[in-house]
Amino acid sequence: QVQLVESGGDLVQPGGSLRLSCVGSGFDFSTSTMGWYRQTPGKEREMVAITLSGGSTKYADSVQGRFIAVRDNPKNTVYLIMKSLKPEDTANYYCNRHSWETGGGLYENWGQGTQVTVSS
């Protein structure tokens, strides 16, 4: 059974930093493209960053240069290092195996996510 467990969210001031973690199980993590996504109430979930199995990455324009996605395949873990946070980064952040067909998450059973709130 696929499980995705996110952690690391917090309340942080504008300009601050956070590191989110996601542990995946029940699928071949090391060969999977993994994505970070975020969602705010009333809006669709959007892709933030993806990391391919070999470690190369792609980012949404809104976070390019501020966020870094890193993966540790032996630990089945992907991280999202977030710097220079802005209030508009406030959202619940999720990870999932990335679907190139839809541009979103592959698995229907998303984790609970981890809440990031950027506010002074």
Short mmCIF file of all heavy atoms in Angstrom, two decimals, residues 20-77:
data_model
loop_
_atom_site.label_atom_id
_atom_site.label_comp_id
_atom_site.label_asym_id
_atom_site.label_seq_id
_atom_site.Cartn_x
_atom_site.Cartn_y
_atom_site.Cartn_z
N LEU A 20 11.03 20.91 4.48
CA LEU A 20 9.99 19.90 4.54
C LEU A 20 10.56 18.54 4.17
O LEU A 20 11.51 18.45 3.38
CB LEU A 20 8.85 20.24 3.58
CG LEU A 20 8.24 21.65 3.68
CD1 LEU A 20 7.08 21.78 2.71
CD2 LEU A 20 7.83 21.96 5.10
N SER A 21 9.96 17.50 4.75
CA SER A 21 10.37 16.13 4.45
C SER A 21 9.17 15.31 4.01
O SER A 21 8.05 15.55 4.45
CB SER A 21 11.00 15.48 5.68
OG SER A 21 12.12 16.20 6.14
N CYS A 22 9.43 14.34 3.16
CA CYS A 22 8.38 13.42 2.73
C CYS A 22 8.99 12.03 2.62
O CYS A 22 9.98 11.85 1.91
CB CYS A 22 7.79 13.84 1.40
SG CYS A 22 6.78 12.57 0.60
N VAL A 23 8.39 11.08 3.32
CA VAL A 23 8.81 9.68 3.23
C VAL A 23 7.76 8.91 2.45
O VAL A 23 6.57 8.97 2.77
CB VAL A 23 9.00 9.07 4.62
CG1 VAL A 23 9.42 7.61 4.50
CG2 VAL A 23 10.03 9.85 5.42
N GLY A 24 8.20 8.20 1.43
CA GLY A 24 7.30 7.40 0.62
C GLY A 24 7.56 5.92 0.80
O GLY A 24 8.71 5.50 0.98
N SER A 25 6.50 5.11 0.75
CA SER A 25 6.65 3.67 0.85
C SER A 25 5.55 3.00 0.04
O SER A 25 4.56 3.63 -0.32
CB SER A 25 6.59 3.21 2.32
OG SER A 25 5.34 3.57 2.89
N GLY A 26 5.79 1.71 -0.26
CA GLY A 26 4.80 0.95 -1.02
C GLY A 26 4.96 1.04 -2.52
O GLY A 26 4.10 0.55 -3.27
N PHE A 27 6.01 1.67 -2.98
CA PHE A 27 6.29 1.76 -4.40
C PHE A 27 7.81 1.90 -4.56
O PHE A 27 8.54 2.07 -3.59
CB PHE A 27 5.56 2.94 -5.05
CG PHE A 27 5.93 4.30 -4.50
CD1 PHE A 27 6.83 5.12 -5.16
CD2 PHE A 27 5.38 4.76 -3.31
CE1 PHE A 27 7.17 6.37 -4.66
CE2 PHE A 27 5.71 6.00 -2.79
CZ PHE A 27 6.62 6.81 -3.46
N ASP A 28 8.27 1.80 -5.79
CA ASP A 28 9.71 1.86 -6.05
C ASP A 28 10.16 3.32 -6.03
O ASP A 28 10.21 3.99 -7.07
CB ASP A 28 10.03 1.21 -7.38
CG ASP A 28 11.53 1.03 -7.59
OD1 ASP A 28 12.31 1.55 -6.77
OD2 ASP A 28 11.91 0.37 -8.57
N PHE A 29 10.49 3.78 -4.85
CA PHE A 29 10.83 5.19 -4.67
C PHE A 29 12.03 5.60 -5.51
O PHE A 29 12.03 6.65 -6.15
CB PHE A 29 11.11 5.46 -3.18
CG PHE A 29 11.37 6.90 -2.85
CD1 PHE A 29 10.34 7.72 -2.43
CD2 PHE A 29 12.66 7.43 -2.95
CE1 PHE A 29 10.58 9.05 -2.11
CE2 PHE A 29 12.91 8.75 -2.64
CZ PHE A 29 11.85 9.57 -2.22
N SER A 30 13.05 4.78 -5.51
CA SER A 30 14.32 5.19 -6.12
C SER A 30 14.22 5.43 -7.63
O SER A 30 15.02 6.18 -8.19
CB SER A 30 15.41 4.16 -5.83
OG SER A 30 15.08 2.93 -6.43
N THR A 31 13.24 4.82 -8.29
CA THR A 31 13.10 5.00 -9.74
C THR A 31 11.96 5.96 -10.10
O THR A 31 11.68 6.18 -11.27
CB THR A 31 12.84 3.67 -10.46
OG1 THR A 31 11.61 3.12 -9.99
CG2 THR A 31 13.98 2.68 -10.19
N SER A 32 11.34 6.54 -9.06
CA SER A 32 10.17 7.39 -9.28
C SER A 32 10.54 8.86 -9.34
O SER A 32 11.38 9.33 -8.56
CB SER A 32 9.16 7.18 -8.14
OG SER A 32 8.70 5.85 -8.09
N THR A 33 9.90 9.59 -10.22
CA THR A 33 9.95 11.04 -10.17
C THR A 33 9.02 11.48 -9.05
O THR A 33 7.85 11.09 -9.01
CB THR A 33 9.50 11.66 -11.50
OG1 THR A 33 10.42 11.28 -12.52
CG2 THR A 33 9.44 13.18 -11.40
N MET A 34 9.54 12.27 -8.12
CA MET A 34 8.76 12.70 -6.96
C MET A 34 8.45 14.19 -7.07
O MET A 34 9.30 14.97 -7.49
CB MET A 34 9.51 12.41 -5.67
CG MET A 34 9.69 10.94 -5.38
SD MET A 34 8.14 10.05 -5.20
CE MET A 34 7.46 10.85 -3.74
N GLY A 35 7.27 14.55 -6.67
CA GLY A 35 6.86 15.94 -6.76
C GLY A 35 6.42 16.50 -5.43
O GLY A 35 5.94 15.77 -4.55
N TRP A 36 6.62 17.79 -5.28
CA TRP A 36 6.04 18.56 -4.18
C TRP A 36 4.93 19.44 -4.77
O TRP A 36 5.12 20.07 -5.83
CB TRP A 36 7.08 19.45 -3.51
CG TRP A 36 7.97 18.74 -2.55
CD1 TRP A 36 9.24 18.27 -2.77
CD2 TRP A 36 7.65 18.41 -1.20
NE1 TRP A 36 9.72 17.66 -1.63
CE2 TRP A 36 8.77 17.74 -0.65
CE3 TRP A 36 6.53 18.61 -0.38
CZ2 TRP A 36 8.81 17.27 0.67
CZ3 TRP A 36 6.58 18.14 0.92
CH2 TRP A 36 7.70 17.49 1.44
N TYR A 37 3.81 19.48 -4.06
CA TYR A 37 2.65 20.23 -4.50
C TYR A 37 2.13 21.04 -3.32
O TYR A 37 2.41 20.71 -2.17
CB TYR A 37 1.56 19.28 -5.01
CG TYR A 37 2.08 18.25 -5.98
CD1 TYR A 37 2.63 17.06 -5.51
CD2 TYR A 37 2.06 18.47 -7.35
CE1 TYR A 37 3.15 16.12 -6.38
CE2 TYR A 37 2.56 17.53 -8.23
CZ TYR A 37 3.12 16.36 -7.74
OH TYR A 37 3.63 15.43 -8.61
N ARG A 38 1.35 22.06 -3.60
CA ARG A 38 0.76 22.83 -2.51
C ARG A 38 -0.65 23.23 -2.88
O ARG A 38 -1.01 23.35 -4.06
CB ARG A 38 1.62 24.04 -2.17
CG ARG A 38 1.69 25.12 -3.25
CD ARG A 38 2.68 26.21 -2.85
NE ARG A 38 2.78 27.26 -3.85
CZ ARG A 38 3.67 28.24 -3.81
NH1 ARG A 38 4.55 28.33 -2.81
NH2 ARG A 38 3.68 29.16 -4.77
N GLN A 39 -1.43 23.46 -1.83
CA GLN A 39 -2.83 23.81 -2.03
C GLN A 39 -3.28 24.74 -0.92
O GLN A 39 -2.95 24.55 0.24
CB GLN A 39 -3.70 22.55 -2.04
CG GLN A 39 -5.15 22.80 -2.44
CD GLN A 39 -5.92 21.52 -2.62
OE1 GLN A 39 -5.60 20.49 -2.03
NE2 GLN A 39 -6.93 21.56 -3.46
N THR A 40 -4.05 25.74 -1.32
CA THR A 40 -4.70 26.63 -0.36
C THR A 40 -6.22 26.46 -0.53
O THR A 40 -6.69 26.03 -1.59
CB THR A 40 -4.30 28.09 -0.59
OG1 THR A 40 -4.58 28.44 -1.96
CG2 THR A 40 -2.83 28.29 -0.33
N PRO A 41 -6.98 26.76 0.51
CA PRO A 41 -8.44 26.56 0.43
C PRO A 41 -9.05 27.27 -0.77
O PRO A 41 -8.76 28.44 -1.04
CB PRO A 41 -8.94 27.17 1.75
CG PRO A 41 -7.78 27.01 2.68
CD PRO A 41 -6.56 27.23 1.84
N GLY A 42 -9.88 26.54 -1.50
CA GLY A 42 -10.58 27.11 -2.64
C GLY A 42 -9.80 27.13 -3.93
O GLY A 42 -10.31 27.57 -4.96
N LYS A 43 -8.57 26.65 -3.87
CA LYS A 43 -7.73 26.64 -5.08
C LYS A 43 -7.30 25.22 -5.41
O LYS A 43 -7.26 24.35 -4.54
CB LYS A 43 -6.50 27.52 -4.89
CG LYS A 43 -6.81 29.00 -4.77
CD LYS A 43 -5.54 29.82 -4.78
CE LYS A 43 -5.85 31.31 -4.74
NZ LYS A 43 -4.61 32.13 -4.77
N GLU A 44 -6.97 25.00 -6.66
CA GLU A 44 -6.48 23.69 -7.07
C GLU A 44 -5.05 23.48 -6.57
O GLU A 44 -4.30 24.44 -6.40
CB GLU A 44 -6.51 23.57 -8.59
CG GLU A 44 -7.90 23.47 -9.18
CD GLU A 44 -7.89 23.08 -10.63
OE1 GLU A 44 -6.80 22.89 -11.19
OE2 GLU A 44 -8.98 22.98 -11.22
N ARG A 45 -4.72 22.23 -6.36
CA ARG A 45 -3.37 21.89 -5.98
C ARG A 45 -2.43 22.19 -7.14
O ARG A 45 -2.75 21.89 -8.29
CB ARG A 45 -3.30 20.41 -5.60
CG ARG A 45 -2.05 20.00 -4.92
CD ARG A 45 -2.19 18.76 -4.06
NE ARG A 45 -3.34 17.94 -4.34
CZ ARG A 45 -3.96 17.21 -3.41
NH1 ARG A 45 -3.51 17.23 -2.16
NH2 ARG A 45 -4.99 16.47 -3.72
N GLU A 46 -1.29 22.78 -6.84
CA GLU A 46 -0.33 23.13 -7.89
C GLU A 46 1.02 22.49 -7.63
O GLU A 46 1.42 22.30 -6.48
CB GLU A 46 -0.16 24.65 -7.98
CG GLU A 46 0.42 25.30 -6.74
CD GLU A 46 0.74 26.78 -6.92
OE1 GLU A 46 0.66 27.29 -8.05
OE2 GLU A 46 1.09 27.43 -5.92
N MET A 47 1.71 22.18 -8.71
CA MET A 47 3.04 21.61 -8.60
C MET A 47 4.04 22.70 -8.21
O MET A 47 3.99 23.80 -8.75
CB MET A 47 3.46 20.98 -9.93
CG MET A 47 4.74 20.19 -9.88
SD MET A 47 6.25 21.21 -10.09
CE MET A 47 6.12 21.65 -11.82
N VAL A 48 4.90 22.38 -7.26
CA VAL A 48 5.91 23.32 -6.79
C VAL A 48 7.29 22.93 -7.32
O VAL A 48 8.04 23.76 -7.82
CB VAL A 48 5.93 23.37 -5.25
CG1 VAL A 48 7.08 24.23 -4.75
CG2 VAL A 48 4.60 23.89 -4.73
N ALA A 49 7.60 21.63 -7.18
CA ALA A 49 8.92 21.16 -7.59
C ALA A 49 8.84 19.67 -7.86
O ALA A 49 8.02 18.97 -7.26
CB ALA A 49 9.96 21.42 -6.49
N ILE A 50 9.65 19.20 -8.78
CA ILE A 50 9.77 17.76 -8.99
C ILE A 50 11.25 17.39 -9.02
O ILE A 50 12.09 18.19 -9.41
CB ILE A 50 9.08 17.29 -10.29
CG1 ILE A 50 9.63 18.01 -11.51
CG2 ILE A 50 7.58 17.45 -10.19
CD1 ILE A 50 9.09 17.45 -12.83
N THR A 51 11.52 16.19 -8.57
CA THR A 51 12.89 15.68 -8.62
C THR A 51 12.87 14.31 -9.28
O THR A 51 12.16 13.41 -8.85
CB THR A 51 13.52 15.64 -7.22
OG1 THR A 51 14.76 14.93 -7.28
CG2 THR A 51 12.62 14.96 -6.20
N LEU A 52 13.63 14.18 -10.34
CA LEU A 52 13.70 12.93 -11.06
C LEU A 52 14.55 11.93 -10.30
O LEU A 52 15.27 12.30 -9.37
CB LEU A 52 14.26 13.16 -12.47
CG LEU A 52 13.25 13.71 -13.50
CD1 LEU A 52 12.87 15.16 -13.18
CD2 LEU A 52 13.80 13.61 -14.91
N SER A 53 14.51 10.68 -10.68
CA SER A 53 15.17 9.63 -9.93
C SER A 53 16.67 9.88 -9.79
O SER A 53 17.27 9.55 -8.77
CB SER A 53 14.93 8.27 -10.58
OG SER A 53 15.40 8.27 -11.92
N GLY A 54 17.28 10.49 -10.79
CA GLY A 54 18.71 10.75 -10.75
C GLY A 54 19.08 12.02 -10.01
O GLY A 54 20.27 12.31 -9.83
N GLY A 55 18.07 12.79 -9.60
CA GLY A 55 18.31 13.99 -8.80
C GLY A 55 18.09 15.30 -9.52
O GLY A 55 18.07 16.35 -8.87
N SER A 56 17.92 15.29 -10.83
CA SER A 56 17.66 16.55 -11.52
C SER A 56 16.29 17.07 -11.11
O SER A 56 15.42 16.30 -10.68
CB SER A 56 17.77 16.39 -13.03
OG SER A 56 16.89 15.40 -13.48
N THR A 57 16.10 18.37 -11.23
CA THR A 57 14.92 19.01 -10.67
C THR A 57 14.29 20.00 -11.64
O THR A 57 14.94 20.51 -12.57
CB THR A 57 15.28 19.77 -9.38
OG1 THR A 57 16.38 20.65 -9.66
CG2 THR A 57 15.67 18.82 -8.27
N LYS A 58 13.01 20.27 -11.40
CA LYS A 58 12.30 21.32 -12.12
C LYS A 58 11.43 22.03 -11.10
O LYS A 58 10.95 21.41 -10.15
CB LYS A 58 11.42 20.74 -13.23
CG LYS A 58 12.20 20.05 -14.33
CD LYS A 58 11.32 19.57 -15.47
CE LYS A 58 12.18 18.84 -16.50
NZ LYS A 58 11.91 19.25 -17.83
N TYR A 59 11.21 23.33 -11.32
CA TYR A 59 10.48 24.14 -10.36
C TYR A 59 9.42 25.00 -11.04
O TYR A 59 9.57 25.40 -12.19
CB TYR A 59 11.44 25.06 -9.60
CG TYR A 59 12.52 24.32 -8.86
CD1 TYR A 59 13.77 24.10 -9.43
CD2 TYR A 59 12.28 23.81 -7.58
CE1 TYR A 59 14.75 23.40 -8.75
CE2 TYR A 59 13.25 23.11 -6.90
CZ TYR A 59 14.49 22.90 -7.49
OH TYR A 59 15.45 22.20 -6.82
N ALA A 60 8.38 25.30 -10.27
CA ALA A 60 7.42 26.30 -10.72
C ALA A 60 8.12 27.65 -10.74
O ALA A 60 9.00 27.93 -9.94
CB ALA A 60 6.23 26.33 -9.77
N ASP A 61 7.68 28.50 -11.66
CA ASP A 61 8.31 29.83 -11.78
C ASP A 61 8.24 30.61 -10.47
O ASP A 61 9.17 31.36 -10.13
CB ASP A 61 7.62 30.63 -12.88
CG ASP A 61 7.92 30.09 -14.27
OD1 ASP A 61 8.90 29.30 -14.41
OD2 ASP A 61 7.19 30.44 -15.21
N SER A 62 7.17 30.41 -9.72
CA SER A 62 6.94 31.18 -8.50
C SER A 62 7.94 30.85 -7.40
O SER A 62 8.09 31.64 -6.46
CB SER A 62 5.52 30.95 -7.99
OG SER A 62 5.30 29.57 -7.76
N VAL A 63 8.61 29.71 -7.48
CA VAL A 63 9.55 29.33 -6.43
C VAL A 63 10.97 29.16 -6.94
O VAL A 63 11.89 28.91 -6.15
CB VAL A 63 9.10 28.02 -5.73
CG1 VAL A 63 7.67 28.14 -5.24
CG2 VAL A 63 9.26 26.82 -6.64
N GLN A 64 11.17 29.30 -8.25
CA GLN A 64 12.50 29.14 -8.83
C GLN A 64 13.49 30.08 -8.15
O GLN A 64 13.23 31.27 -7.98
CB GLN A 64 12.43 29.45 -10.33
CG GLN A 64 13.75 29.32 -11.06
CD GLN A 64 14.14 27.89 -11.29
OE1 GLN A 64 13.33 27.08 -11.72
NE2 GLN A 64 15.39 27.55 -11.01
N GLY A 65 14.62 29.53 -7.73
CA GLY A 65 15.65 30.33 -7.07
C GLY A 65 15.47 30.45 -5.57
O GLY A 65 16.37 30.93 -4.89
N ARG A 66 14.32 30.01 -5.05
CA ARG A 66 14.07 30.09 -3.61
C ARG A 66 13.92 28.71 -2.97
O ARG A 66 14.25 28.52 -1.80
CB ARG A 66 12.82 30.92 -3.32
CG ARG A 66 12.89 32.34 -3.82
CD ARG A 66 11.69 33.17 -3.35
NE ARG A 66 10.42 32.65 -3.84
CZ ARG A 66 9.44 32.21 -3.05
NH1 ARG A 66 9.57 32.25 -1.74
NH2 ARG A 66 8.32 31.79 -3.59
N PHE A 67 13.39 27.76 -3.72
CA PHE A 67 13.15 26.41 -3.21
C PHE A 67 14.12 25.44 -3.89
O PHE A 67 14.45 25.58 -5.08
CB PHE A 67 11.73 25.95 -3.51
CG PHE A 67 10.64 26.67 -2.72
CD1 PHE A 67 10.92 27.79 -1.96
CD2 PHE A 67 9.34 26.20 -2.76
CE1 PHE A 67 9.92 28.43 -1.24
CE2 PHE A 67 8.33 26.83 -2.06
CZ PHE A 67 8.61 27.95 -1.30
N ILE A 68 14.53 24.43 -3.13
CA ILE A 68 15.38 23.38 -3.67
C ILE A 68 14.81 22.03 -3.24
O ILE A 68 14.54 21.81 -2.06
CB ILE A 68 16.83 23.50 -3.14
CG1 ILE A 68 17.43 24.85 -3.53
CG2 ILE A 68 17.69 22.37 -3.68
CD1 ILE A 68 18.78 25.11 -2.88
N ALA A 69 14.62 21.14 -4.21
CA ALA A 69 14.15 19.78 -3.93
C ALA A 69 15.36 18.84 -3.97
O ALA A 69 16.13 18.85 -4.92
CB ALA A 69 13.10 19.35 -4.93
N VAL A 70 15.49 18.06 -2.91
CA VAL A 70 16.60 17.11 -2.78
C VAL A 70 16.03 15.77 -2.38
O VAL A 70 15.08 15.71 -1.59
CB VAL A 70 17.60 17.59 -1.71
CG1 VAL A 70 18.75 16.61 -1.57
CG2 VAL A 70 18.13 18.98 -2.05
N ARG A 71 16.60 14.70 -2.88
CA ARG A 71 16.10 13.37 -2.51
C ARG A 71 17.23 12.52 -1.94
O ARG A 71 18.41 12.68 -2.31
CB ARG A 71 15.46 12.68 -3.71
CG ARG A 71 16.38 12.39 -4.87
CD ARG A 71 15.56 11.98 -6.08
NE ARG A 71 14.84 10.73 -5.85
CZ ARG A 71 13.73 10.38 -6.51
NH1 ARG A 71 13.21 11.18 -7.42
NH2 ARG A 71 13.14 9.22 -6.24
N ASP A 72 16.83 11.63 -1.04
CA ASP A 72 17.74 10.65 -0.45
C ASP A 72 17.10 9.29 -0.72
O ASP A 72 16.25 8.83 0.06
CB ASP A 72 17.90 10.91 1.05
CG ASP A 72 18.94 10.00 1.69
OD1 ASP A 72 19.27 8.95 1.11
OD2 ASP A 72 19.40 10.35 2.78
N ASN A 73 17.49 8.66 -1.80
CA ASN A 73 16.84 7.41 -2.21
C ASN A 73 16.98 6.28 -1.18
O ASN A 73 16.00 5.57 -0.94
CB ASN A 73 17.35 6.96 -3.57
CG ASN A 73 16.79 7.81 -4.71
OD1 ASN A 73 15.73 8.42 -4.58
ND2 ASN A 73 17.50 7.85 -5.82
N PRO A 74 18.14 6.08 -0.55
CA PRO A 74 18.22 5.00 0.44
C PRO A 74 17.25 5.19 1.60
O PRO A 74 16.86 4.21 2.25
CB PRO A 74 19.66 5.08 0.92
CG PRO A 74 20.40 5.65 -0.24
CD PRO A 74 19.45 6.66 -0.82
N LYS A 75 16.86 6.43 1.86
CA LYS A 75 15.92 6.70 2.96
C LYS A 75 14.48 6.88 2.45
O LYS A 75 13.59 7.23 3.24
CB LYS A 75 16.34 7.96 3.72
CG LYS A 75 17.64 7.80 4.48
CD LYS A 75 17.95 9.06 5.29
CE LYS A 75 19.24 8.89 6.09
NZ LYS A 75 19.56 10.11 6.89
N ASN A 76 14.26 6.70 1.16
CA ASN A 76 12.93 6.90 0.58
C ASN A 76 12.35 8.26 0.95
O ASN A 76 11.15 8.39 1.22
CB ASN A 76 11.95 5.80 1.03
CG ASN A 76 12.10 4.53 0.21
OD1 ASN A 76 13.12 4.33 -0.45
ND2 ASN A 76 11.10 3.67 0.26
N THR A 77 13.22 9.27 0.94
CA THR A 77 12.82 10.58 1.42
C THR A 77 13.16 11.65 0.38
O THR A 77 14.21 11.61 -0.25
CB THR A 77 13.54 10.91 2.74
OG1 THR A 77 13.20 9.92 3.71
CG2 THR A 77 13.13 12.27 3.27
#
